[in-house]
Amino acid sequence: MSENRTQVVSDYVESVFRRGREPMEPVGFTPDWEDQPSRHKTYLGVRRFPLPAGTGLPLAGAADVLLGEPPAGQGPPWTLDSLAALLRLSYGVLDRRLRVSWNQDSHVRVLYPEALWGRGTASGGGMYPLEVYWVAGPGGPLTPGVYHYSTAHHGFERLLAGDLTDEVRAACESGNGNGTGAGSGESDGFLVVTVRFWKNSFKYNSFCYHVVTQDAGALLGSWELIARGTGRRLTRVLWFDDERLNRLLGLETDQECALAVVPLPFGGPAGPATGPADRDGPVGLIDRPSFERSARTRTFEQVEQVHHAVLADRRERPEPEAARGLVPVPPAGGEDVVLPEPLTDRLGPDVGETLRCRRTSFGSFIRSRPLGLDELGTVLAGTVSGQRYVSDVVPDDVGLTGLYVLANRVAGLPSGTYRYDGGGHRLRVVREMPLAEKLQHSYYLSNYNLEQVGAVLAISGRWRSTLDAYGSRGYRVLNSEVGAVAQTAYTAAAALGVGCGAVLGFDNIAIDEWAGLDDGDERTFLFVLLGHERADSADFDYRLV
């Protein structure tokens, strides 16, 4: 049975990679923008607790966070101020975005009902389908209970009073069998990241599952950067009993499902549970309704199939050391290009301000000013720090992803494809060839002129080997790191003042061929565009804090 579930995931991933040549079902689907869901989930009839602004907390500089060594250990206990900063700077509303760009919806953004509200974390299509729940224990700053983070209000909505942290520990105890979720035993509070599928699938239909699992990684990547900025480190628990957590949060699994758990120790006692916690998990404790803007919601068969295949694969949590066999192997041969030292003196303000400045460069790249080789090297050096994180299934010195550079207009670097070696801070030549026309032909959207882009970073992973080692859940684990690496690249580019945009609209098969990945199980998953932007872009500075 586990082989069948893995095959379902494998077939889905292949359809994602081939969608540029063979459209995914339903072919010809058009989003109903008039009936789209709200960008913010809010619960009805609950008490809301405002959080501190979260933007005045002093954080370390971007250079230290991106290029320095991560803090040793978990660091000091969390506080309400640091928790508020973690949430606000990552997923809270920071500003209104009105820049005139090549994105297809720019003309409606001047209308308030269609306003685009910026956040620190990137999201596929700007959909922001993730939700954050806080399961608080007796050691935290709030009454023990289950809370939902309302992004629209930057506050907690209390869904249930009572200490149910033991339920989260039980769900993380093994993921489904062996060992405990890293760091979950000592924590007196937990953040749970969930995805509400309709907030993405109304636009991306069957492509949704691929996008939202990378979105979850991007949010975890932001949290890691902010935590490092406060002198702390986080643990990602990616292997847990999904249904138990969903029952705890009052979620219908087909509509919204947990993707990650992050323990946050506040320094108080873990304490005995004060709420119901039988071995099968609480049933029906939270029945608060949430607001649904869409008059009609629907599901998509491929999303349901891959989602159910992942949930049904209940094998024991793999040992973290298994990840060492999944690291992408650099190509043999090829000349090396040693990169200049990172431009640490140009890496802008603290990491919080950097996240507030992060934005996507829709159509703003210019060819008249090539990307400097030192600028490319600085972004690459910062990007690979996204591969260093504490997880229950991946050691913090192992990265499941590879990083390729498709150099188009980089000063002093011939056009072609290269593999980045983070350990040696150098590029290995894969193939020198003109790319400008190839890039444009392989991109099937109209919001960028790829001929103008300085370089494209392609994030890769050994997806078949990961499925073999981890089963169906390996897809979520790998996509989680892919998203985190992309978010770190965004942050490094913003700190350096370089334009950036993460895209999924490439012909993956063509990119894999240019990168020498058309033979084997390593494939490209997500792409980050880099380059300098035009200086005459119309913009409006509308910061909320």
Side-chain angles (χ1 to χ4, degrees):
M1 288 296 292
S2 61
E3 290 79 7
N4 293 338
R5 290 187 286 266
T6 303
Q7 188 60 49
V8 169
V9 176
S10 178
D11 291 344
Y12 176 79
V13 178
E14 280 288 3
S15 69
V16 165
F17 289 152
R18 299 193 65 83
R19 75 192 184 285
R21 305 182 180 192
E22 302 170 13
M24 300 177 73
E25 296 288 346
V27 178
F29 173 84
T30 302
D32 184 357
W33 292 103
E34 295 299 318
D35 196 37
Q36 64 179 291
S38 170
R39 300 292 172 90
H40 308 279
K41 180 177 182 179
T42 56
Y43 281 86
L44 306 177
V46 298
R47 185 176 178 184
R48 189 175 296 124
F49 299 86
L51 287 167
T55 54
L57 191 72
L59 300 177
D64 292 332
V65 171
L66 291 165
L67 302 176
E69 286 296 316
Q74 289 185 329
W78 287 81
T79 64
L80 186 61
D81 283 338
S82 56
L83 174 59
L86 187 76
L87 296 173
R88 182 65 178 274
L89 294 172
S90 61
Y91 227 55
V93 174
L94 297 175
D95 58 16
R96 182 177 177 184
R97 301 199 170 168
L98 289 170
R99 175 184 286 189
V100 177
S101 73
W102 279 28
N103 218 19
Q104 294 91 331
D105 57 2
S106 292
H107 65 291
V108 301
R109 293 306 179 195
V110 296
L111 305 175
Y112 190 82
E114 304 294 334
L116 179 65
W117 303 98
R119 310 193 199 191
T121 299
S123 176
M127 296 294 99
Y128 295 99
L130 305 179
E131 305 296 335
V132 180
Y133 295 84
W134 169 241
V135 183
L142 297 179
T143 300
V146 179
Y147 299 82
H148 170 253
Y149 176 56
S150 174
T151 53
H153 305 94
H154 184 54
F156 277 138
E157 297 172 328
R158 187 163 67 198
L159 308 181
L160 184 70
D163 179 14
L164 288 170
T165 52
D166 272 358
E167 272 302 314
V168 183
R169 291 188 193 92
C172 297
E173 193 171 83
S174 70
N176 307 311
N178 156 38
T180 57
S184 63
E186 308 85 25
S187 182
D188 48 1
F190 299 88
L191 292 173
V192 183
V193 179
T194 71
V195 56
R196 188 161 179 259
F197 292 107
W198 177 240
K199 287 175 69 175
N200 179 280
S201 64
F202 89 91
K203 177 181 180 181
Y204 287 114
N205 53 83
S206 298
F207 187 40
C208 163
Y209 199 84
H210 190 71
V211 181
V212 298
T213 47
Q214 292 183 359
D215 273 2
L219 177 57
L220 293 172
S222 281
W223 283 356
E224 176 68 14
L225 292 171
I226 297 166
R228 291 184 192 182
T230 68
R232 299 173 173 89
R233 295 209 72 183
L234 295 178
T235 297
R236 306 174 191 179
V237 181
L238 303 175
W239 211 274
F240 45 78
D241 187 334
D242 310 73
E243 293 286 6
R244 186 162 191 156
L245 284 180
N246 294 342
R247 287 195 301 269
L248 168 63
L249 301 175
L251 308 178
E252 294 185 34
T253 297
D254 283 349
Q255 298 178 12
E256 186 175 340
C257 184
L259 290 181
V261 178
V262 176
L264 285 192
F266 275 81
T274 59
D278 59 67
R279 191 60 204 170
D280 294 325
V283 179
L285 291 179
I286 296 176
D287 58 359
R288 302 288 192 179
S290 61
F291 171 71
E292 177 55 76
R293 181 184 182 276
S294 299
R296 174 179 177 263
T297 63
R298 61 174 292 186
T299 57
F300 298 89
E301 183 178 5
Q302 282 184 290
V303 175
E304 288 187 309
Q305 288 175 345
V306 68
H307 180 44
H308 291 161
V310 171
L311 294 180
D313 196 338
R314 300 184 57 80
R315 68 186 67 194
E316 293 184 350
R317 172 187 284 115
E319 294 294 337
E321 291 300 307
R324 298 193 185 278
L326 306 175
V327 177
V329 180
E335 296 181 1
D336 287 341
V337 178
V338 178
L339 292 168
E341 289 297 310
L343 302 169
T344 55
D345 58 330
R346 279 185 51 187
L347 283 177
D350 70 63
V351 70
E353 182 65 21
T354 300
L355 286 169
R356 291 180 63 187
C357 295
R358 184 208 65 80
R359 62 176 64 239
T360 298
S361 302
F362 293 117
S364 299
F365 294 113
I366 53 170
R367 59 180 291 180
S368 58
R369 184 183 172 192
L371 186 68
L373 188 61
D374 51 357
E375 294 172 322
L376 173 63
T378 302
V379 174
L380 288 169
T383 297
V384 294
S385 69
Q387 298 171 333
R388 298 188 62 186
Y389 54 91
V390 180
S391 167
D392 59 333
V393 290
V394 181
D396 66 355
D397 62 340
V398 171
L400 299 178
T401 52
L403 201 57
Y404 288 81
V405 176
L406 284 71
N408 183 40
R409 299 189 182 280
V410 180
L413 189 66
S415 179
T417 56
Y418 302 81
R419 172 69 149 79
Y420 178 59
D421 171 14
H425 191 51
R426 58 190 176 186
L427 298 173
R428 173 160 293 179
V429 179
V430 177
R431 186 179 304 167
E432 291 187 8
M433 59 179 174
L435 281 178
E437 186 174 335
K438 292 178 179 293
L439 287 171
Q440 191 62 50
H441 286 169
S442 66
Y443 187 68
Y444 44 83
L445 299 177
S446 58
N447 54 359
Y448 285 100
N449 181 349
L450 272 297
E451 197 273 341
Q452 306 277 329
V453 169
V456 178
L457 308 186
I459 305 169
S460 68
R462 295 177 57 197
W463 71 285
R464 289 194 183 279
S465 296
T466 303
L467 291 181
D468 289 342
Y470 287 177
S472 300
R473 290 173 181 268
Y475 180 38
R476 291 200 323 203
V477 173
L478 179 55
N479 253 353
S480 174
E481 184 173 312
V482 169
V485 169
Q487 177 64 21
T488 311
Y490 251 125
T491 308
L496 191 61
V498 168
C500 184
V503 299
L504 282 157
F506 271 115
D507 179 355
N508 290 68
I509 297 174
I511 302 293
D512 291 342
E513 290 174 354
W514 306 338
L517 300 178
D518 47 332
D519 182 19
D521 73 335
E522 186 179 358
R523 302 286 292 273
T524 54
F525 274 69
L526 182 60
F527 310 93
V528 179
L529 313 181
L530 298 173
H532 288 288
E533 296 180 304
R534 56 188 303 158
D536 58 349
S537 296
D539 205 350
F540 186 71
D541 191 351
Y542 194 151
R543 296 195 178 191
L544 301 181
V545 288

